Each structure stands twice: as C-alpha cells, then as structure tokens.
Amino acid sequence: MFAAFAGNNTWFGILLGVHIAGAIIGLGPTFAFGIMAGTAKKTSPERALGILEVTHAVQGKLVEPLVGGVQLVTGVGLIFNRGLQHGFFSHRNGWLIASLVIYATAMGISNGIQGPTMKKALALANDGKAGTPEFGGYIQRLGKFGPVLGILGFALVVLMIWRPGSGCSVPTVC
Ligand code: HEM
C-alpha cells in the first residue's frame, strides 16, 4: 500500500493542494490579528472585548486546526510521498529542517504564550477588568509576540516555496 503512495503524483497533487490551501486559509487570517489588536486598543472596553473574542474564535476554530493539524498531516504525507525521509538530515533537506524548526518555534509561542495570554485577557475583560494594568500587560505581551509569529509564518511560506538547496525549481518541479 505504501509503495502505491510513495511517488504517486495523484496523491502528491491532492496533498500539495490541501497543504497550500491550509497555508492560505489557516495562516492568512493571523496577519489581520495585529490590525484588529490596534483597533481594539483605540476603542471602548466593550468593543475591545468583542474584538478579542473574535480573534480568539478565529484562532481556535480556524488557525489551530489548520496550522496545527492539516499542515502537519499533509506535510508529513508530502515528505513520504516525495521520499524526503531518505537521508533526512542531508543538505538537500536543509530547507525542510529549517522550516520544521521555525514551525515548532511558532507552535511553541502560539500554544505556550499567545493562547494562554489571550485566555487570561479574555477572562479579565469578561469580569469587567479591561482597564486594569494586569489586562494591559497581557495585551502588551500579545502585541510583542504577534509580529514575531508573523515573521516566522512568512519565513516558513518563503522557505517551503523556494526550497533552497533541494535541487527543485520553483514551483514544485524536481
Ligand atoms: C504553517 C505551516 C506550513 C505552511 C504555511 C506551509 C506552506 C507550504 C507551501 C506554501 C508549500 C508549497 C510549495 C510549492 O510551491 O509547491 C509547502 C510545501 C511543503 N511543505 Fe509545507 N507548510 C507548513 C507546514 C509544513 C509541515 C509541518 C511540514 C512537514 C511536517 C511541511 C512539509 C512540506 C513539504 C515536504 C513540502 C514540499 C512538497 C514538494 O513540493 O516536494 N509543511 N508548504
């Protein structure tokens, strides 16, 4: 069964199509988070709470399942379909290893810092404590790591399309 999957171009097309769609739909909205946070800062506490809630819902219902689930599953599928697991730690796979380090770092920041901070900020805002210094500290932390995630996401997309050192031309012709 694996023999029929490895190197199969139909599977490659399906996996790559879903992978690229996942990148666009899952990562795309995150680039609007900074603009939404900027708007939240300038508006009333009630409206800011609404914006926080929308951001949290988009993160939990769209970004996390796609970036944390679909991208990982289709990405691993692409690795085995293209046979990249052979000599995984070779120079040819430098782009992939760098991408995976970036991916793991971004997931760590997102799940370990941004997610919990957002939950704490939302809880305070729901208790009517949106004006407190504690709340301000959480918003500041979100604002600090948001651009870092944006840069990591951008670098990931560029690396995965460019694939320097892989011997493949852009896009996807090996
Ligand atoms: C946020 C996460 C991710 C994004 C935004 C992303 C984005 C992309 C994009 C845009 C391509 C298209 C390359 C092309 O032009 O054909 C690609 C290819 C690829 N991705 Fe990802 N990816 C992500 C996560 C992953 C993960 C976690 C893995 C592995 C576990 C992975 C493995 C691959 C592989 C192997 C290819 C190349 C397939 C080939 O053409 O040989 N990706 N990725």
Side-chain angles (χ1 to χ4, degrees), residues 69-142:
V70 173
Q71 291 312 94
L72 190 61
V73 171
T74 52
V76 170
L78 283 166
I79 289 175
F80 284 97
N81 179 270
R82 293 290 100 183
L84 299 177
Q85 76 276 19
H86 304 300
F88 187 78
F89 292 101
S90 62
H91 177 259
R92 174 181 68 101
N93 277 349
W95 68 275
L96 181 58
I97 294 161
S99 301
L100 290 179
V101 170
I102 292 174
Y103 177 76
T105 307
M107 293 303 287
I109 293 174
S110 179
N111 294 329
I113 301 173
Q114 295 297 79
T117 305
M118 171 71 84
K119 272 194 194 134
K120 285 178 196 160
L122 263 177
L124 279 184
N126 274 318
D127 283 351
K129 294 177 184 161
T132 60
E134 195 185 357
F135 179 80
Y138 290 144
I139 297 299
Q140 215 169 4
R141 191 185 303 161
L142 289 172

Side-chain angles (χ1 to χ4, degrees), residues 9-46:
N9 280 340
T10 305
W11 270 112
F12 178 61
I14 294 168
L15 286 170
L16 190 62
V18 175
H19 196 72
I20 294 177
I24 295 168
I25 303 167
L27 215 56
T30 63
F31 289 93
F33 286 174
I35 298 168
M36 289 158 76
T39 310
K41 260 190 209 162
K42 290 185 207 140
T43 189
S44 64
E46 295 76 27

